[in-house]
Amino acid sequence: MAKPLSILFVSSEIYPFAKTGGLADVSYSLPLALRELGHDIRVMMPKYGSISERKNRIHEINRLRDFPIPVGDTEWLATVKSSSVNNPRSKVQAYITTNQNYFEAKKGFYSDPLTGIDYPDNDERFIFFNRTVLETCILLGWYPDIIHCNDWQTGLVPAFARTEYAQEFKKAKIIYTIHNFGNQGSFPSDSISKTRMSENVLPTITHNDRLNFMKAGIAYSDRITTVSPTYCAEILKNKQSSNGLIAVLKERSDKMLGILDGVDMLTWNPKIDPLIAKNYDKTSVSDKVYSKEALLHRFRLPMRSNTPLIGMISRLNEQKGIKLILEVADQLFAENLQFVLLGEGDPALESGLKEIAARYPDKASVKIGFDDELAHLIEAGADMFMMPSLYEPCGLNQQYSLVYGTVPIVRSTGGLADTVREFSPATGSGNGFVFQKFDSEEMLGAIRRAIAMYSQTEVWDVVVQNGMNEDLSWGRSARQYSDLYRSLIK
Ligand code: ADP
């Protein structure tokens, strides 16, 4: 067997400590899958004020108490605590960075939960965290073979590791994974000096005179990955998708590749999921109905036979295409269907959705908030799952839907294009319903095709089975990451 590698995996969200979206799921299941492949992998993240030490079994480590971290001209104290990420098969060491001012005193991860406004010191918070990551390794005397960073919140780790800390980390290869190009960690010019980077480094960490964490991550990493092959091609091709950094990406295009995220089959699996009404697998799909009943009950909608229930779980923002649903609500709810949505985000989208629910009280219902348990019930209880995204770097929910026999209706973009294929009644192939243009009429067309198939029970069963037969588990993706790491170490 090949020698295990030592890997440091850095992320701003790791389930179950902190989660706003797919990044947290990946930062939980990929390290566990890599551990199962035999690697010595450890994860690092910040400890936000809302994370309970008792519930998450977080405790102090003597060596990592109160060490100084400079941010601009000020020195702050970091204390790094220890915990672990577990599943029934393996365990990964977690280092949790604490600081009273930047993290403990703030309950939100990036924004104030009461106002929804980003914290004004997010630049300092993540400069502090990024430096602490490398200082922690030095204090531990642990110099990993691989440093794997994720999204803007870790973008300065590669930059620090290749400049100020170049001597210590010369053996490390650095991977930078882009989960969402929409947020680059772009801050005003007076944030630049807070990094304490030298003058000659500045062009690589700034963009349009602003500090840009993501640009730094791209510039200083040995490989840049995106979370699906199609998203990788899109950000290299499309100015809008790359959000102003297309030239920077093109320069590094030979170092870029897309690796699809997988599904953690211990967490998202209808056969063993404790959060659904009755467990089922592909031989007992009709048992979905118990979860459908429970779900309709939770959303206060009547149970109707022969009526498909469309589910949605989503951050509510421009990316997720909620706008398309609002645009054609009247046509949509003239159809024989019911609709439940769980999500939170943009107040205008929240109120638009609530207004629709009020207009169609026996067809549509919306819950505003974040509720992991309810998300599982939606995956099991809905007949169809909507993701009309403007862009989608990977998308986990459509993959969970396939596993749960809940047929996805998606726009063909990014990871949605890589995982969902239009069902063909002629050949019996395909696992969902797909529309191409970001257009509400096209979306409506896909929904109508799905409803038409749903009414033909035997055909519908084929679509459902095609989805449930896909192998979406992490195994293959984790091996791709492992192979990538090894290709760099040789
Ligand atoms: P993204 O990462 O862009 O948010 P994904 O589909 O990749 O989208 O992943 C979203 C993850 O976050 C899924 O696990 C989904 O169930 C979860 N999620 C999103 N919004 C909510 C919510 N309001 N309540 C519970 N879980 C949510």
Side-chain angles (χ1 to χ4, degrees):
M1 209 179 100
K3 186 175 153 284
L5 300 174
S6 55
I7 305 162
L8 167 63
F9 189 93
V10 193
S11 177
S12 62
E13 291 182 31
I14 303 174
Y15 176 83
F17 302 112
K19 167 169 171 174
T20 65
L23 173 63
D25 288 1
V26 176
S27 303
Y28 165 80
S29 39
L30 175 57
L32 283 164
L34 287 163
R35 178 78 200 95
E36 277 187 48
L37 292 179
H39 297 298
D40 168 20
I41 181 160
R42 311 182 194 183
V43 297
M44 281 195 202
M45 67 170 281
K47 186 188 163 303
Y48 310 103
S50 51
I51 300 177
S52 152
E53 291 201 4
R54 199 168 44 84
K55 227 173 99 196
N56 291 290
R57 297 166 195 267
I58 297 172
H59 33 79
E60 296 214 349
I61 315 173
N62 275 340
R63 264 189 294 175
L64 300 181
R65 202 177 286 169
D66 285 341
F67 54 97
I69 299 291
V71 176
D73 296 332
T74 315
E75 277 200 342
W76 295 89
L77 293 179
T79 291
V80 173
K81 299 187 179 180
S82 168
S83 185
S84 62
V85 174
N86 309 290
N87 70 14
R89 289 210 295 254
S90 55
K91 187 171 176 171
V92 166
Q93 166 70 43
Y95 294 109
I96 319 275
T97 296
T98 72
N99 170 274
Q100 185 54 35
N101 173 50
Y102 289 140
F103 297 117
E104 292 292 348
K106 297 181 169 85
K107 281 202 172 359
F109 311 157
Y110 320 117
S111 57
D112 184 333
L114 292 179
T115 61
I117 296 171
D118 280 354
Y119 290 121
D121 59 352
N122 272 350
D123 55 346
E124 295 184 24
R125 295 172 78 220
F126 288 96
I127 290 169
F128 173 86
F129 171 60
N130 284 207
R131 266 190 188 277
T132 304
V133 165
L134 298 173
E135 290 285 349
T136 301
C137 291
I138 293 169
L139 285 168
L140 289 169
W142 184 62
Y143 299 97
D145 302 313
I146 299 289
I147 302 177
H148 189 154
C149 299
N150 295 279
D151 265 356
W152 78 261
Q153 296 89 341
T154 63
L156 288 178
V157 173
F160 286 134
R162 289 292 181 250
T163 56
E164 205 177 316
Y165 298 89
Q167 193 51 33
E168 289 91 337
F169 294 94
K170 61 177 184 283
K171 148 185 139 193
K173 297 295 176 189
I174 306 180
I175 314 290
Y176 185 65
T177 297
I178 299 172
H179 298 255
N180 194 336
F181 222 81
N183 300 323
Q184 294 178 1
S186 168
F187 296 97
S189 57
D190 50 355
S191 301
I192 299 168
S193 63
K194 295 176 186 170
T195 64
R196 297 168 55 116
M197 294 261 192
S198 60
E199 206 53 39
N200 61 333
V201 171
L202 297 188
T204 55
I205 64 163
T206 58
H207 189 60
N208 296 336
D209 296 326
R210 292 170 67 88
L211 174 61
N212 189 306
F213 275 65
M214 201 167 256
K215 182 174 170 184
I218 293 165
Y220 286 100
S221 297
D222 297 292
R223 285 289 183 281
I224 300 117
T225 70
T226 60
V227 284
S228 70
T230 296
Y231 187 61
C232 189
E234 283 171 358
I235 59 175
L236 278 166
K237 194 169 61 192
N238 181 326
K239 272 198 177 143
Q240 207 181 353
S241 310
S242 51
N243 226 343
L245 286 190
I246 195 156
V248 179
L249 286 170
K250 280 198 165 150
E251 222 166 89
R252 306 235 55 210
S253 62
D254 61 327
K255 306 288 181 214
M256 289 182 64
L257 77 159
I259 300 178
L260 203 64
D261 289 339
V263 174
D264 182 346
M265 296 300 288
L266 292 169
T267 312
W268 293 95
N269 182 350
K271 208 170 170 174
I272 53 171
D273 190 334
L275 304 174
I276 67 178
K278 184 168 182 194
N279 292 122
Y280 62 90
D281 61 18
K282 58 187 178 197
T283 66
S284 53
V285 184
S286 56
D287 285 346
K288 271 172 79 69
V289 73
Y290 296 100
S291 293
K292 182 170 179 176
E293 275 169 3
L295 180 58
L296 287 167
H297 184 71
R298 282 283 292 276
F299 277 87
R300 296 179 194 282
L301 289 177
M303 181 75 180
R304 292 218 168 115
S305 54
N306 304 322
T307 302
L309 173 61
I310 303 181
M312 209 168 160
I313 306 161
S314 188
R315 292 183 291 112
L316 301 179
N317 62 14
E318 197 195 0
Q319 178 197 337
K320 298 295 183 177
I322 310 294
K323 169 178 155 224
L324 300 189
I325 293 171
L326 299 182
E327 267 172 27
V328 285
D330 289 336
Q331 286 156 278
L332 185 61
F333 291 104
E335 301 287 339
N336 176 36
L337 57 81
Q338 289 175 302
F339 175 79
V340 295
L341 177 143
L342 167 67
E344 61 182 358
D346 181 343
L349 294 173
E350 289 184 2
S351 63
L353 288 162
K354 280 197 231 157
E355 198 254 309
I356 289 177
R359 211 167 345 137
Y360 299 98
D362 57 346
K363 288 196 153 184
S365 180
V366 167
K367 282 200 191 299
I368 301 300
F370 194 93
D371 185 339
D372 190 41
E373 285 188 33
L374 186 56
H376 284 251
L377 191 62
I378 293 175
E379 285 294 2
D383 299 297
M384 305 167 183
F385 195 92
M386 273 303 295
M387 285 180 81
S389 306
L390 176 62
Y391 70 94
E392 196 59 72
C394 177
L396 288 170
N397 272 129
Q398 84 282 10
Q399 302 199 65
Y400 299 157
S401 299
L402 291 167
V403 172
Y404 280 73
T406 303
V407 174
I409 304 171
V410 306
R411 184 170 101 80
S412 182
T413 178
L416 297 173
D418 291 335
T419 50
V420 184
R421 296 178 311 281
E422 174 80 15
F423 177 70
S424 156
T427 63
S429 66
N431 56 16
F433 296 87
V434 182
F435 62 102
Q436 301 296 325
K437 267 211 325 237
F438 188 69
D439 174 275
S440 47
E441 289 295 330
E442 282 212 14
M443 178 191 73
L444 205 52
I447 296 173
R448 286 181 175 140
R449 292 197 298 281
I451 296 174
M453 290 303 148
Y454 180 82
S455 63
Q456 305 174 45
T457 316
E458 276 169 27
V459 183
W460 188 253
D461 202 43
V462 177
V463 196
V464 169
Q465 293 290 329
N466 287 352
M468 293 182 93
N469 282 328
E470 304 268 354
D471 177 13
L472 299 165
S473 61
W474 260 108
R476 191 182 41 183
S477 307
R479 271 191 303 278
Q480 277 178 278
Y481 281 107
S482 183
D483 292 346
L484 173 65
Y485 300 155
R486 287 201 188 283
S487 72
L488 294 171
I489 294 296
K490 256 188 257 163

